[in-house]
Amino acid sequence: MNNDIYAEWLVKRKKSPLTVPFYIGIVLLFLIGFYVSVISPFGFVALLAAAAAAYFGSARLHVEYVFVTNELAIDRILSQRTRKRMKKLDIQKIEKMASMKSHEFDYIKGNNQVKVVDFSSGKADANTYGIAYSDENGKFVYVIEPNDNLLKCMKSAAPRKVIIEQNITAKN
């Protein structure tokens, strides 16, 4: 019998306000590169630069949370192809996890010793949770945007550390 607890949740990041000007700049760079390549061989370099900027700059960032038994892995997914591990948290070592709308994290406002790392979608109406965590690098509050299944799995793994408010409902 397998006693592993498993939950997975993918969160799409909010688009940056610079997305449209970025794409306009890429198109202009392609046009200039094409025009210059007709006149001079150096235009090929501008076309390569535009292609590289389009490839690396247009990578849509997604954040995925994977919870297995006692570990929460936070991965960033680039261009729906590449996965980069951002953080791995041992659920037994977290100090607490609670909604960012609650008063549990009021102490981080104006506190320069606690670093806040946001792994949420960045949307204003998002149901975000904070995870207070300390390691050799200092004190952190990791902001995530879990769904109900992920919350239940984390609550069953650490019932005294994970605080789920009943009146806050998630849109999942």
Side-chain angles (χ1 to χ4, degrees), residues 1 12 36 49 68 81 84 86 111 123 131-132 155:
M1 187 164 129
K12 292 183 180 181
V36 174
V68 179
R81 291 187 300 273
K84 181 179 179 189
M86 300 307 293
N111 189 348
K123 297 175 185 170
I131 300 173
K155 178 77 172 172

Side-chain angles (χ1 to χ4, degrees), residues 22 25-31 33 44-55:
F22 171 77
I26 293 295
V27 169
L28 289 176
L29 191 58
F30 266 118
L31 292 175
F44 185 69
V45 175
L47 283 174
L48 285 178
Y55 178 75

Side-chain angles (χ1 to χ4, degrees), residues 7-22:
E8 186 174 337
W9 180 242
L10 179 71
V11 176
K12 292 183 180 181
R13 302 272 307 176
K14 181 176 88 172
K15 286 186 180 181
S16 169
L18 299 176
T19 302
V20 172
F22 171 77

Side-chain angles (χ1 to χ4, degrees), residues 51-65:
Y55 178 75
F56 291 112
S58 67
R60 287 277 305 141
L61 296 179
H62 297 83
V63 179
E64 183 175 40
Y65 315 115

Side-chain angles (χ1 to χ4, degrees), residues 49-88:
Y55 178 75
F56 291 112
S58 67
R60 287 277 305 141
L61 296 179
H62 297 83
V63 179
E64 183 175 40
Y65 315 115
V66 179
F67 182 77
V68 179
T69 310
N70 286 328
E71 288 185 341
L72 175 67
I74 301 171
D75 298 334
R76 182 157 283 152
I77 300 174
L78 304 164
S79 298
Q80 298 179 348
R81 291 187 300 273
T82 308
R83 177 184 298 256
K84 181 179 179 189
R85 175 72 31 97
M86 300 307 293
K87 192 69 184 170
K88 189 178 227 180

Side-chain angles (χ1 to χ4, degrees), residues 105 107-108 111-118 131-143:
F105 293 106
Y107 69 93
I108 64 172
N111 189 348
N112 294 334
Q113 294 180 351
V114 178
K115 298 174 192 116
V116 178
V117 182
D118 192 356
I131 300 173
Y133 197 83
S134 296
D135 60 12
E136 62 276 355
N137 296 326
K139 293 184 177 200
F140 295 91
V141 172
Y142 297 104
V143 180

